[in-house]
């Protein structure tokens, strides 16, 4: 293990025997959530104390392992801010929503969010090892009463069985890795029984909050269900401890590719140098940065939000300055439920026919000469194009490029442009049907 990944234990835990400390069940049952418990580890600020004493706050629970990573003398510690509430959480802001990604609206059955053509998000629990103050799913997470029933799980499985376009299932919650091992295994087994589900992914912060949960028993179980991918959630280099490094190593050795999703947050990681260090430490423990999220418009997270320009600045500081595979994709998860939208600096400066003008990370400006002769790819003779998987109603921009349709109009567009007029002699449907586009019958009709 690289020597600079350290291991910390708050002084209050000095006498806890190792076999207890390293037992995830001990960690779970000794989580801290009150002023009295937390003050044994670090002195609280007025704002934190006020939040912890108020009612109706999003759930607080912190593992002894994770709270030990906080510098008790620093009220601005980047780990502290992720898990200890302040009274800023109670401040409302413009555009704030309870369910900002409209996940519940896009759930055909409870806990199954089917937003993209070929993959679904499956919520399997509302419980986590520790609760993040900026949780995008705080409307249900942390509430044991909101958790999914056996009957709802069966509805999720039933939906998946009858939806053959789904080839990728992403398990999330809550945190799937806090489930009792038998229950998690049952979920994986039931998914594997569905032939069209090609890959299963897990989104989990357990390796970060409670790395001792990654036991040999767990990885032995998980690797029976390959191809299995896992994304963890690290926001700051201080979270990369010797214990997390070991947990990541175990998961990698079990053949599970690891990715990282982080959230850009004011006062935590809104700095190009922190982000570069994070990216480089992650790849040292064989975790590939995957997404950097713009903070969602969710209740309680207002004080963590940054301008989007901060994210662009960070991406500018990564591309070219570090290994390509250490660079996450910066995304805004569309408010109202449009999925993740990548945003990045502009590298293309201009173009003419057969030439594009580009700039690199250093400001070097070059041109790429395009071919003057190009035999266009022919979908009619391409086996992949002929057998392409349908994307029911979701082809979008690809559909425009494919010639499925020529335009996408806002709702009510046609009606508005009738202007309450009459059907008259100049109106003929055929006049605005683009030749060779749509109807799945290109060119033949020419
Ligand atoms: C993030 C997300 C996915 C997975 O998206 P990828 O870009 O494939 O990682 C799937 N469904 C929902 C609802 C999501 O929010």
């Amino acid at each position: 293990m690289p020597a600079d990944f350290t291991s910390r234990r708050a002084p209050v835990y000095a006498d806890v025997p190792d076999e207890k400390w390293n037992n995830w069940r001990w960690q779970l049952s000794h989580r801290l959530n009150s002023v009295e418990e937390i003050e044994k580890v670090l002195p609280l600020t007025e704002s934190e104390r006020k939040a912890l004493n108020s009612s109706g706050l999003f759930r607080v629970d912190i593992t002894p392992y994770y709270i030990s990573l906080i510098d008790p003398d620093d009220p601005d510690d980047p780990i502290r801010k992720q898990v200890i509430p302040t009274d800023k959480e109670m401040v409302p802001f413009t555009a704030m929503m309870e369910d900002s990604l409209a996940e519940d609206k896009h759930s055909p059955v409870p806990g199954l969010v089917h937003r993209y053509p070929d993959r679904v998000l499956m919520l399997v629990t509302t419980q986590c090892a520790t609760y993040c103050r900026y949780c995008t799913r705080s409307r249900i997470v942390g509430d044991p009463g909101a958790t999914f029933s056996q009957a709802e799980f069966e509805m999720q499985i039933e939906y998946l069985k009858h939806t053959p376009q789904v080839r990728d299932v992403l398990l999330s919650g809550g945190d799937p890795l806090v489930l009792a091992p038998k229950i998690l295994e049952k979920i994986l087994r039931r998914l594997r029984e569905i032939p069209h589900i090609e890959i299963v992914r897990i989104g989990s912060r357990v390796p970060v909050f409670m790395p001792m949960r990654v036991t040999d028993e767990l990885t032995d179980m998980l690797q029976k269900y390959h191809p299995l991918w896992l994304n963890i959630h690290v926001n700051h280099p201080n979270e990369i401890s010797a214990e997390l490094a070991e947990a990541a190593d175990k998961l990698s050795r079990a053949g599970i590719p690891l990715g990282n999703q982080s959230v850009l947050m004011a006062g935590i990681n809104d700095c190009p140098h922190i982000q570069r260090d994070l990216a480089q430490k992650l790849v040292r423990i064989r975790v590939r940065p995957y997404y950097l999220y713009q903070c969602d418009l969710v209740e309680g997270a207002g004080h963590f939000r940054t301008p989007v320009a901060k994210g662009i600045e960070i991406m500018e500081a990564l591309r070219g300055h570090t290994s390509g595979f250490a660079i996450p994709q910066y995304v805004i998860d569309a408010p109202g439920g449009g999925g993740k939208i990548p945003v990045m600096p502009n590298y293309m400066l201009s173009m003419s026919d057969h030439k594009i003008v580009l700039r690199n990370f250093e400001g070097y400006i070059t041109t790429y000469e395009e071919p003057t002769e190009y035999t266009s790819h022919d979908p009619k003779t391409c086996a992949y194009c002929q057998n392409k998987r349908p994307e029911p109603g979701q082809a979008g921009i690809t559909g425009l490029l494919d010639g499925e349709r020529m335009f996408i109009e806002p709702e009510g567009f046609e009606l508005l442009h009738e202007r309450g007029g009459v059907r008259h002699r100049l109106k003929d449907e055929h006049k605005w049907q683009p030749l060779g586009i749509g109807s799945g019958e290109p060119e033949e009709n020419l």
Side-chain angles (χ1 to χ4, degrees):
M1 209 56 65
D4 59 332
F5 295 136
T6 56
S7 190
R8 293 169 72 156
R9 224 198 260 203
V12 63
Y13 300 117
D15 295 333
V16 176
D18 284 355
E19 69 268 25
K20 280 191 175 160
W21 182 260
N22 295 323
N23 180 321
W24 62 277
R25 290 192 166 89
W26 184 91
Q27 290 283 339
L28 274 185
S29 59
H30 288 79
R31 287 183 293 179
L32 303 93
N33 55 43
S34 65
V35 169
E36 299 70 47
E37 288 169 342
I38 297 174
E39 290 242 74
K40 289 187 182 134
V41 181
L42 48 86
L44 289 166
T45 65
E46 241 350 276
S47 164
E48 290 166 335
R49 208 171 290 128
K50 197 169 146 203
L52 285 163
N53 282 328
S54 72
S55 59
L57 200 74
F58 177 56
R59 178 161 168 188
V60 177
D61 251 325
I62 311 166
T63 56
Y65 159 83
Y66 192 71
I67 204 167
S68 293
L69 300 179
I70 298 174
D71 172 358
D73 302 321
D74 180 6
D76 291 322
D77 181 278
I79 293 183
R80 175 183 192 131
K81 288 184 177 171
Q82 293 182 50
V83 294
I84 300 181
T86 64
D87 61 1
K88 291 183 191 154
E89 260 177 47
M90 302 175 235
V91 181
F93 59 93
T94 304
M96 169 179 104
M97 287 173 264
E98 187 183 336
D99 179 5
S100 76
L101 309 177
E103 291 187 326
D104 292 339
K105 187 170 141 197
H106 291 111
S107 300
V109 300
L112 201 73
V113 189
H114 191 175
R115 172 164 299 145
Y116 294 105
D118 68 336
R119 54 209 190 278
V120 298
L121 173 67
M122 181 170 171
L123 308 181
V124 295
T125 175
T126 57
Q127 303 298 295
C128 288
T130 294
Y131 295 92
C132 308
R133 301 323 303 163
Y134 50 89
C135 180
T136 192
R137 234 163 262 138
S138 52
R139 67 186 187 279
I140 45 172
V141 164
D143 177 2
T147 218
F148 303 98
S149 65
Q150 178 65 29
E152 285 170 336
F153 172 67
E154 294 300 336
M155 284 165 78
Q156 295 177 339
I157 293 287
E158 211 43 43
Y159 178 84
L160 292 173
K161 277 188 187 160
H162 294 109
T163 315
Q165 79 213 59
V166 175
R167 43 160 286 285
D168 173 3
V169 175
L170 163 46
L171 300 180
S172 184
D175 196 319
L177 294 188
V178 299
L179 288 174
K182 287 224 158 55
I183 297 187
L184 178 60
E185 176 153 22
K186 189 189 79 180
I187 294 170
L188 292 170
R189 191 172 347 103
R190 294 288 301 278
L191 290 173
R192 276 286 166 251
E193 283 166 12
I194 305 174
H196 56 263
I197 295 177
E198 296 170 358
I199 61 168
V200 176
R201 312 188 237 177
I202 297 177
S204 174
R205 219 181 174 191
V206 156
V208 179
F209 288 145
M210 201 170 59
M212 46 293 278
R213 174 68 185 90
V214 183
T215 57
D216 292 337
E217 192 193 352
L218 178 74
T219 53
D220 286 349
M221 185 277 278
L222 292 176
Q223 64 184 322
K224 288 195 277 175
Y225 299 95
H226 273 313
L228 185 71
W229 295 59
L230 181 77
N231 271 342
I232 63 172
H233 172 89
V234 182
N235 291 317
H236 191 280
N238 289 3
E239 291 169 285
I240 306 183
S241 65
E243 287 89 343
L244 172 58
E246 192 187 322
D249 183 60
K250 276 198 177 134
L251 291 162
S252 286
R253 283 172 195 271
I256 304 170
L258 299 177
N260 185 60
Q261 312 198 155
S262 61
V263 181
L264 175 57
M265 282 179 290
I268 294 180
N269 58 13
D270 53 341
C271 159
H273 301 101
I274 292 175
Q275 290 287 347
R276 200 184 299 166
D277 190 44
L278 173 63
Q280 291 173 347
K281 286 213 167 75
L282 283 168
V283 297
R284 283 175 64 194
I285 64 167
R286 310 207 303 293
V287 176
R288 192 193 190 297
Y290 181 55
Y291 282 137
L292 171 64
Y293 289 95
Q294 174 67 13
C295 190
D296 288 330
L297 297 167
V298 65
E299 286 175 9
H303 59 298
F304 287 128
R305 299 193 311 128
T306 64
V308 173
K310 183 50 72 175
I312 302 287
E313 178 191 346
I314 286 166
M315 297 314 292
E316 186 71 70
L318 293 177
R319 174 63 58 196
H321 297 272
T322 193
S323 319
F325 60 81
I327 304 174
Q329 180 87 250
Y330 175 44
V331 293
I332 303 181
D333 215 335
K340 299 165 186 75
I341 301 172
V343 277
M344 67 194 88
N346 285 325
Y347 291 96
M348 206 171 72
L349 300 182
S350 194
M351 57 172 106
S352 69
D353 54 342
H354 311 310
K355 202 187 294 269
I356 78 168
V357 182
L358 303 153
R359 62 102 177 170
N360 82 344
F361 70 103
E362 297 164 289
Y364 169 78
I365 295 177
T366 187
T367 53
Y368 179 84
E369 196 69 37
E370 293 177 321
T372 47
E373 305 270 343
Y374 168 60
T375 310
S376 213
H377 173 74
D378 184 2
K380 286 213 286 292
T381 58
C382 169
Y384 285 86
C385 290
Q386 295 302 309
N387 301 319
K388 69 176 179 183
R389 271 177 193 262
E391 299 188 63
Q394 279 189 282
I397 305 295
T398 311
L400 296 180
L401 298 175
D402 271 0
E404 274 171 31
R405 52 200 298 183
M406 184 175 251
F407 36 72
I408 298 174
E409 64 274 58
E411 199 180 323
F413 182 85
E414 286 202 22
L415 196 65
L416 171 81
H417 288 275
E418 299 238 337
R419 305 282 181 203
V422 293
R423 288 214 60 82
H424 56 73
R425 64 184 169 84
L426 296 178
K427 285 192 180 174
D428 172 358
E429 289 290 322
H430 291 100
K431 286 187 183 173
W432 43 89
Q433 268 168 16
L435 183 64
I437 294 182
S439 75
E441 296 287 317
E443 275 127 273
E444 269 85 318
N445 322 340
L446 297 186

